[in-house]
Every structure is written in structure tokens, then in C-alpha cells.
Amino acid sequence: MDSTGEREGRKRSLDELSLEQLFESKGVPKWREQLTVRSFVVSLALGFFLTFIAMKLNLTTGIIPSLNVSAGLLGFFLVKTYTKVLEKAGMLKQPFTRQENTVIQTSVVACSGIAFSGGFGSYLLGMSKEVAVDFDQADDVVNVKEPSLGWMIAFLFLVSFLGLCSVVPLRKIMIIGYKLTYPSGTATAHLINSFHTPQGAILAKQQVSLLFKSFTASFLWSFFQWFYTAGKDCGFTAFPTFGLKAYENKFYFDFSATYVGMGMICPYMINISLLLGSLISWGILWPYISSKKGFWYDAALSDSSLHGLTGYKVFISISMILGDGLFHFLEVLFRSTYDMYNKQRETVVPFSSEQCFPDHPAISFDDRRRTNVFLKDQIPNSIAFIGYILLAVISIIVVPFFFPQLRFYHIVVAYLIAPLLAFCNSYGCGLTDWSLASSYAKLAIFIFGAWAGIGSGGVVAGLAACGVTMGIVSTASDLMQDFKTGYLTLASPRSMFVSQIIGTAMGCVISPVVFWIFYKAYPVGDADSEYPAPYAKVYRGIALLGVEGFASLPKHCLSFCLVFFLSAFSICALREVAKYKDWRIQNYVPSAMGMAVPFYSGSYFAIDMCVGSLVLFAWEKVNKRQADLYAPAVASGMICGDGIWSLPSSLLALGKVQPPICMKFLPRLNDANLDTYSRG
């Protein structure tokens, strides 16, 4: 047992390193004061801005990096600039606090997150005729649902708020009792806290300056490229960097600032995994299967038919995704169960500034202050229970009007098991920072699709159930991340809950509108279009497997699927064993999910992202500290500039304004024929 003197000594040493002592002189605003009009105006603007970027990525590769740095920097910069102007004019009534900054961050991320959880690049688009036409099975009217702005907005409002109600009663046990880390929420809190220190404010100003410079350069570069894209396969995005044969197999650098920026943000091993998956699929596997054309599948089939080469691409990529998802599901389930078993005797006790947990020899000043604030403003559990039951009843009545294939009893079952899934995902996310929302959603496709049956519209039923599940599970883990951020920035749980609700409501309107702009301006979902939305076919393929079984697979495809499923599972297992044993190879084992992404999408973005990694690597060699401080801001600016160009580009396409030039690359023989034709 430690003596009282030793315990007090440790307490003093912890307090000497306290972050909250820097803010002790600043009072904590009441929860209503943290919710300001200006914060939600800024959230609305940034939410629309980042939703456009997330939607573009969702409809191209399906890979969406964290936009927290962009949201945090831009939110801080906009409100700080606004308050400085008012302060100089003598009109400032309320200073800008880190709690208000946290409210902005929460609302913006909740808003832009609907671009993913809303399924615009996956399950919603997978219901459409555009995607169904490439599948020879289940393309009848009962298994197709065309996107429409009205029903998409209404459906999202029905399913996106239940997840918030399902985990509110668990906030204290998750954040204080189990002390789950929620790495993304913790990192966001540290970012916000740093902005509001004198040194952090100077650094944030420099980061914002670099972000705007890279944003401007990226936007102008995208604008310049547009002039050369007057036709199919025109422009810099069709530059055959490694030759025309490599270009046919999607090996080329497409000069995308977005993917180069993503490469600077994503870990090196993820980018290498993408490139490795590209080499295995587009460099070896697909050319080999193409050589079997006429033997394994009908040579007369169109390129888009799922009974041909495209079928191998879709279902093999699905098998890897499912193998990776199953492993992480089992891993998180095991770790969560084991962790809860070890902590089941711990008790959560509200304490004053002088009290300590009995099992801890010392409690820092930071923890004492944060816990007192977190426990001060309670959210009544009755509100969460009533809200969940009320929203569930409304959904059970209304959702079948949008999707007659999904019966009321299907939705009842979904809402009975959803709180359990929401808890599992929230707990696992707190341990590993890995949200398994899409894995739970894919499981729902199988269960409810098979339950409904293909004759009763099982494909649409499965995809709709996927939407219900993803909407609940995804928002639940997002809210718990926000509670962790609020805990570390002394933002009230009530203000976090309200800002999450408002941000989600914004997203339920903004995301469908942004998707509708893309949908009307481009042939979204077409494999040859600028926005192929590869995961739409993946999700519809999963639904087909659920209702038809393996009969829908091309010849030998099941064998390939089994091999790649087991390979993905084994790779994930090797990574975890290497981490547990602390083997040196742990940093060199690829990501199975990263390898699976280019199997259907292509290799071009993997090459771009590896270029981003090379840029970051060179920067770190020259000045590592500078790269650590400024690279995320530069990369975010590159992503934002290229992404926001999608708005004027879409408006030009809607207005039938075409670029003036087509820059295309042809083989020498074709070029000679073209010269002869033009002279004749």
C-alpha cells in the first residue's frame, strides 16, 4: 500500500503536467451558451463544403479519409476571424471558446458523415436500375428502387436518429467507467485544446494559411484540367503514364490532387496495400481470367455483365471485404467481452475535486475537473428511451411505404437488435478506433434479403435493411466519439447531444441534395463514367448472394472467392498476432481491406496515393518536425480544393456547358490513320 505522502506527491507531479490548469482561469460556459447561432451557421457552411468532398470520394473509390483536421482548422479560423472583427469594433458579446469549437466540430462531422452512412455510394445506389442493369438476375421492378430526392431525405430522417438515442444511457460507463480511449475523438480534442492556447493559436494560423494555399492551387489545377476533358478518356486523368497497355489495365497516374492528398494522410502501409492489391488483381489475376474468355464464360457477354469478367471482379473483392470484416467483427467481439469481464467489478463514482477512485493511487487535476463537468449536465435516460421508442414506431409505420419489400415485422426485428449492435460497435470503436458499421450492415443484407426472398423483392429488402442498420450503428459510435471529445474539452454532454442532432439533421438534407446534383449531372454508377460508385455493385452483389446463393457466381468464381476470403482472414490474423507478440514484421503486414479496394475500382488512385506517400516521406527526410505539423493541413487543402471543384463542374454539366478541348492519347497506328482521315 502507498503512503498518503507518496500518493500526494504523485498527485502533485501529475498536476504539474496538467493541461486544464492552463484553462483554469477561464470559466466553463453553461451548456446553452456553448450552442451559439454563429457556431451552427459555420457548421452549415462547412458541412455543405465537406459533404461535397466526401460525396465525390464516395462515388469514385469509396475511400473517405478523416476530415476532422479540415473541420477543426476551418471552424476555428472562421469563428476566430469573425470574433476578432467584432472585438475590434467593440461589438463582441461572447468570446470564442474551445467548447463552442467542439460544438462546430461535432455538427460538421455529423453532417458530412451522412454522405457515408446514407449509402449514396453503396446500398441506396445499389437499388437503382443503373446498377441493376449489369446484373442479369433480379433486375425486375420488385428488386429495383430508383433514387428520388424526396424519399431519400425522409428515409434518412427516419433512421439516422435512433442510434443517438440508443447509446445515450451508456455514456458515463463508456467514458468514465471503462475509460475507453476513442482515439479519433481524443485526437480531435487535443487538436481543439491546442488551438485555444497562445502557442496553438499561432500554429493554427500558420496551418490555415498553408491549407488555403494548397486549396487554391488544387482548385485552380482542377479548373485547368477541365478544359481538356471534352470527351470520353480525355484530359490529364487519361494520361497513359506507363504506356497504353498499362493504361488499359488501369495502371496510370491521373494527376488527382485529391488522391495525392489522401496518400499524405493515410498510413504508409495502407497505401502500399492498395498498390499490392492493384498488382495482384489488375496485373496478374484479371489478365489471367481474361485469357479464359470463351472457356470459363461466354465470349459474347458485355464487359459489364456479372456472368463475365466483371463478375469475378465484384465477387472476389466482396470475398476479401467479408473476410476482413468477419475477422475484425470477431476480434472486437472477443476484445470487448474480455475487457468488460476484467472491468465488471469497477464502479463509476461521481467525485469532487478532492476525491479519488479507490483503485487509483492518484487522480490528476485534469481528470477531476473533466469528470465533474461531464457529470454535471445529465441527459435524462427517459428522453433517450422515449425518443427511441417513438422514432422506432414511426419508422415501422412509414418505412414500408418507401420499401414495400421490407415488411413491418422485418423492421421490428431490426430495431430490437439494433441497440445491441450499436453498443458493440461503440465499445469496439472505443477500444480500436475501428467502426464496424459497414460489417453489421452487410450482415443485415444477408439476413433480411434471404428472409424476404427474391420473389418478394429480397434484393431491395436486404439493401433497405442495410440502410436501417448502418444509420443506427454508425451514428451511435459517432456520438460516443463526440462525448469523448467533449469530455476532454469540457464541453457539456448536453451540448454534444444537441449539436450531433442538429448536424445529423443538416446532413439528412444536404447529403441527398449534393448526391442529387451528381446524379443529375453525371451517369453515376456507370463503370465507364467519372463517378462509377464501385461499392454500389458490391452491395448489390452481396444482396444477390443473400437471395440466390452461390448459383449467381461465374465458373470457378466460388473457388477464387474462398481462396481470397481465407487469405484476407489470415492476413488480418497475422497482423494481430504480430502486434500481440511485438514482432518486427507487424509494421510490414499489409491491410486486407486496403488490398481489396482496387480489385474492382482500378489501380490509378493507388498510384496517386503512393505518390502522396513519397511526397510525405521526402518532406520528413528534409524536416520531420515541419512535416508532422503542416503535412495534414497541406493534404487537407489539396483534398478540399479538388473536391469543391466538383460543385462548379457539376453545375456546368447540368447547364450543358462542355469543355472546349479533348486531349487524348492514341497508338501510333491509330494516329497515322487519323492523320490520313483528316487530310482526306
Side-chain angles (χ1 to χ4, degrees), residues 408-428:
F408 77 91
Y409 47 84
H410 294 149
I411 305 171
V412 169
V413 172
Y415 284 158
L416 287 175
I417 63 175
L420 175 61
L421 299 180
F423 167 75
C424 292
N425 193 50
S426 299
Y427 193 95

mmCIF file of all heavy atoms in Angstrom, residues 408-428:
data_model
loop_
_atom_site.group_PDB
_atom_site.id
_atom_site.type_symbol
_atom_site.label_atom_id
_atom_site.label_comp_id
_atom_site.label_asym_id
_atom_site.label_seq_id
_atom_site.Cartn_x
_atom_site.Cartn_y
_atom_site.Cartn_z
ATOM 1 N N PHE A 408 -43.218 -4.764 -42.034
ATOM 2 C CA PHE A 408 -43.139 -4.114 -40.723
ATOM 3 C C PHE A 408 -42.451 -5.001 -39.699
ATOM 4 O O PHE A 408 -41.723 -4.536 -38.815
ATOM 5 C CB PHE A 408 -44.545 -3.717 -40.246
ATOM 6 C CG PHE A 408 -45.373 -4.852 -39.723
ATOM 7 C CD1 PHE A 408 -45.353 -5.177 -38.377
ATOM 8 C CD2 PHE A 408 -46.163 -5.609 -40.580
ATOM 9 C CE1 PHE A 408 -46.114 -6.232 -37.888
ATOM 10 C CE2 PHE A 408 -46.917 -6.661 -40.107
ATOM 11 C CZ PHE A 408 -46.907 -6.981 -38.745
ATOM 12 N N TYR A 409 -42.656 -6.331 -39.803
ATOM 13 C CA TYR A 409 -42.038 -7.224 -38.824
ATOM 14 C C TYR A 409 -40.524 -7.321 -39.044
ATOM 15 O O TYR A 409 -39.773 -7.601 -38.106
ATOM 16 C CB TYR A 409 -42.690 -8.612 -38.846
ATOM 17 C CG TYR A 409 -42.885 -9.223 -40.217
ATOM 18 C CD1 TYR A 409 -41.858 -9.916 -40.847
ATOM 19 C CD2 TYR A 409 -44.121 -9.126 -40.872
ATOM 20 C CE1 TYR A 409 -42.037 -10.497 -42.095
ATOM 21 C CE2 TYR A 409 -44.317 -9.698 -42.120
ATOM 22 C CZ TYR A 409 -43.271 -10.371 -42.733
ATOM 23 O OH TYR A 409 -43.457 -10.928 -43.966
ATOM 24 N N HIS A 410 -40.059 -7.104 -40.292
ATOM 25 C CA HIS A 410 -38.610 -7.028 -40.521
ATOM 26 C C HIS A 410 -38.014 -5.862 -39.733
ATOM 27 O O HIS A 410 -36.957 -5.983 -39.097
ATOM 28 C CB HIS A 410 -38.312 -6.817 -42.018
ATOM 29 C CG HIS A 410 -38.699 -7.966 -42.873
ATOM 30 N ND1 HIS A 410 -39.116 -7.824 -44.186
ATOM 31 C CD2 HIS A 410 -38.738 -9.297 -42.628
ATOM 32 C CE1 HIS A 410 -39.390 -8.997 -44.704
ATOM 33 N NE2 HIS A 410 -39.164 -9.918 -43.774
ATOM 34 N N ILE A 411 -38.697 -4.714 -39.788
ATOM 35 C CA ILE A 411 -38.190 -3.505 -39.129
ATOM 36 C C ILE A 411 -38.254 -3.660 -37.610
ATOM 37 O O ILE A 411 -37.360 -3.196 -36.891
ATOM 38 C CB ILE A 411 -38.994 -2.274 -39.592
ATOM 39 C CG1 ILE A 411 -38.954 -2.179 -41.119
ATOM 40 C CG2 ILE A 411 -38.425 -0.995 -38.989
ATOM 41 C CD1 ILE A 411 -39.872 -1.132 -41.694
ATOM 42 N N VAL A 412 -39.304 -4.309 -37.114
ATOM 43 C CA VAL A 412 -39.405 -4.551 -35.671
ATOM 44 C C VAL A 412 -38.197 -5.349 -35.185
ATOM 45 O O VAL A 412 -37.558 -5.001 -34.173
ATOM 46 C CB VAL A 412 -40.715 -5.297 -35.331
ATOM 47 C CG1 VAL A 412 -40.689 -5.776 -33.885
ATOM 48 C CG2 VAL A 412 -41.921 -4.403 -35.574
ATOM 49 N N VAL A 413 -37.863 -6.412 -35.906
ATOM 50 C CA VAL A 413 -36.711 -7.236 -35.525
ATOM 51 C C VAL A 413 -35.423 -6.423 -35.598
ATOM 52 O O VAL A 413 -34.562 -6.498 -34.704
ATOM 53 C CB VAL A 413 -36.620 -8.480 -36.440
ATOM 54 C CG1 VAL A 413 -35.311 -9.235 -36.190
ATOM 55 C CG2 VAL A 413 -37.810 -9.400 -36.206
ATOM 56 N N ALA A 414 -35.295 -5.610 -36.656
ATOM 57 C CA ALA A 414 -34.089 -4.785 -36.811
ATOM 58 C C ALA A 414 -33.921 -3.834 -35.633
ATOM 59 O O ALA A 414 -32.815 -3.664 -35.094
ATOM 60 C CB ALA A 414 -34.152 -4.003 -38.121
ATOM 61 N N TYR A 415 -35.021 -3.228 -35.188
ATOM 62 C CA TYR A 415 -34.938 -2.257 -34.095
ATOM 63 C C TYR A 415 -34.798 -2.920 -32.729
ATOM 64 O O TYR A 415 -34.359 -2.284 -31.773
ATOM 65 C CB TYR A 415 -36.153 -1.337 -34.116
ATOM 66 C CG TYR A 415 -36.085 -0.295 -35.213
ATOM 67 C CD1 TYR A 415 -37.237 0.320 -35.680
ATOM 68 C CD2 TYR A 415 -34.873 0.070 -35.774
ATOM 69 C CE1 TYR A 415 -37.178 1.278 -36.691
ATOM 70 C CE2 TYR A 415 -34.801 1.012 -36.778
ATOM 71 C CZ TYR A 415 -35.948 1.618 -37.235
ATOM 72 O OH TYR A 415 -35.870 2.556 -38.221
ATOM 73 N N LEU A 416 -35.148 -4.189 -32.629
ATOM 74 C CA LEU A 416 -34.932 -4.909 -31.376
ATOM 75 C C LEU A 416 -33.456 -5.249 -31.171
ATOM 76 O O LEU A 416 -32.941 -5.217 -30.050
ATOM 77 C CB LEU A 416 -35.772 -6.189 -31.347
ATOM 78 C CG LEU A 416 -37.282 -5.998 -31.134
ATOM 79 C CD1 LEU A 416 -37.999 -7.335 -31.256
ATOM 80 C CD2 LEU A 416 -37.563 -5.363 -29.765
ATOM 81 N N ILE A 417 -32.766 -5.588 -32.272
ATOM 82 C CA ILE A 417 -31.350 -5.970 -32.150
ATOM 83 C C ILE A 417 -30.412 -4.779 -32.353
ATOM 84 O O ILE A 417 -29.228 -4.860 -32.019
ATOM 85 C CB ILE A 417 -30.980 -7.090 -33.150
ATOM 86 C CG1 ILE A 417 -31.151 -6.602 -34.602
ATOM 87 C CG2 ILE A 417 -31.799 -8.332 -32.897
ATOM 88 C CD1 ILE A 417 -30.676 -7.618 -35.634
ATOM 89 N N ALA A 418 -30.930 -3.658 -32.878
ATOM 90 C CA ALA A 418 -30.068 -2.510 -33.185
ATOM 91 C C ALA A 418 -29.345 -1.944 -31.966
ATOM 92 O O ALA A 418 -28.150 -1.622 -32.055
ATOM 93 C CB ALA A 418 -30.884 -1.409 -33.875
ATOM 94 N N PRO A 419 -30.007 -1.787 -30.794
ATOM 95 C CA PRO A 419 -29.268 -1.254 -29.637
ATOM 96 C C PRO A 419 -28.074 -2.118 -29.238
ATOM 97 O O PRO A 419 -27.032 -1.596 -28.833
ATOM 98 C CB PRO A 419 -30.328 -1.225 -28.529
ATOM 99 C CG PRO A 419 -31.628 -1.115 -29.250
ATOM 100 C CD PRO A 419 -31.450 -1.934 -30.491
ATOM 101 N N LEU A 420 -28.213 -3.445 -29.369
ATOM 102 C CA LEU A 420 -27.099 -4.339 -29.057
ATOM 103 C C LEU A 420 -25.943 -4.104 -30.032
ATOM 104 O O LEU A 420 -24.779 -4.011 -29.627
ATOM 105 C CB LEU A 420 -27.558 -5.795 -29.116
ATOM 106 C CG LEU A 420 -26.471 -6.858 -28.921
ATOM 107 C CD1 LEU A 420 -25.829 -6.719 -27.545
ATOM 108 C CD2 LEU A 420 -27.039 -8.259 -29.123
ATOM 109 N N LEU A 421 -26.269 -3.995 -31.327
ATOM 110 C CA LEU A 421 -25.237 -3.742 -32.331
ATOM 111 C C LEU A 421 -24.596 -2.376 -32.121
ATOM 112 O O LEU A 421 -23.380 -2.214 -32.280
ATOM 113 C CB LEU A 421 -25.837 -3.826 -33.744
ATOM 114 C CG LEU A 421 -26.448 -5.168 -34.147
ATOM 115 C CD1 LEU A 421 -26.998 -5.082 -35.570
ATOM 116 C CD2 LEU A 421 -25.417 -6.287 -34.047
ATOM 117 N N ALA A 422 -25.424 -1.385 -31.755
ATOM 118 C CA ALA A 422 -24.901 -0.036 -31.507
ATOM 119 C C ALA A 422 -23.922 -0.044 -30.334
ATOM 120 O O ALA A 422 -22.864 0.600 -30.382
ATOM 121 C CB ALA A 422 -26.048 0.934 -31.239
ATOM 122 N N PHE A 423 -24.273 -0.780 -29.275
ATOM 123 C CA PHE A 423 -23.377 -0.878 -28.127
ATOM 124 C C PHE A 423 -22.069 -1.572 -28.515
ATOM 125 O O PHE A 423 -20.975 -1.096 -28.178
ATOM 126 C CB PHE A 423 -24.047 -1.649 -26.989
ATOM 127 C CG PHE A 423 -23.087 -2.055 -25.903
ATOM 128 C CD1 PHE A 423 -22.609 -1.120 -25.001
ATOM 129 C CD2 PHE A 423 -22.643 -3.366 -25.810
ATOM 130 C CE1 PHE A 423 -21.704 -1.483 -24.008
ATOM 131 C CE2 PHE A 423 -21.740 -3.739 -24.827
ATOM 132 C CZ PHE A 423 -21.269 -2.797 -23.923
ATOM 133 N N CYS A 424 -22.175 -2.690 -29.225
ATOM 134 C CA CYS A 424 -20.977 -3.434 -29.630
ATOM 135 C C CYS A 424 -20.060 -2.562 -30.484
ATOM 136 O O CYS A 424 -18.836 -2.540 -30.289
ATOM 137 C CB CYS A 424 -21.367 -4.696 -30.399
ATOM 138 S SG CYS A 424 -22.205 -5.946 -29.414
ATOM 139 N N ASN A 425 -20.647 -1.842 -31.435
ATOM 140 C CA ASN A 425 -19.833 -1.009 -32.314
ATOM 141 C C ASN A 425 -19.206 0.150 -31.547
ATOM 142 O O ASN A 425 -18.037 0.493 -31.769
ATOM 143 C CB ASN A 425 -20.682 -0.475 -33.467
ATOM 144 C CG ASN A 425 -19.841 0.115 -34.571
ATOM 145 O OD1 ASN A 425 -18.888 -0.500 -35.045
ATOM 146 N ND2 ASN A 425 -20.161 1.329 -34.999
ATOM 147 N N SER A 426 -19.976 0.757 -30.653
ATOM 148 C CA SER A 426 -19.455 1.881 -29.869
ATOM 149 C C SER A 426 -18.331 1.430 -28.943
ATOM 150 O O SER A 426 -17.316 2.123 -28.802
ATOM 151 C CB SER A 426 -20.582 2.521 -29.047
ATOM 152 O OG SER A 426 -21.585 3.028 -29.879
ATOM 153 N N TYR A 427 -18.507 0.275 -28.325
ATOM 154 C CA TYR A 427 -17.477 -0.235 -27.419
ATOM 155 C C TYR A 427 -16.219 -0.612 -28.209
ATOM 156 O O TYR A 427 -15.095 -0.257 -27.823
ATOM 157 C CB TYR A 427 -18.005 -1.443 -26.654
ATOM 158 C CG TYR A 427 -17.132 -1.843 -25.491
ATOM 159 C CD1 TYR A 427 -17.411 -1.379 -24.217
ATOM 160 C CD2 TYR A 427 -16.024 -2.663 -25.670
ATOM 161 C CE1 TYR A 427 -16.601 -1.728 -23.136
ATOM 162 C CE2 TYR A 427 -15.208 -3.010 -24.608
ATOM 163 C CZ TYR A 427 -15.503 -2.544 -23.347
ATOM 164 O OH TYR A 427 -14.698 -2.879 -22.296
ATOM 165 N N GLY A 428 -16.416 -1.331 -29.308
ATOM 166 C CA GLY A 428 -15.268 -1.727 -30.133
ATOM 167 C C GLY A 428 -14.537 -0.534 -30.710
ATOM 168 O O GLY A 428 -13.305 -0.530 -30.789
#
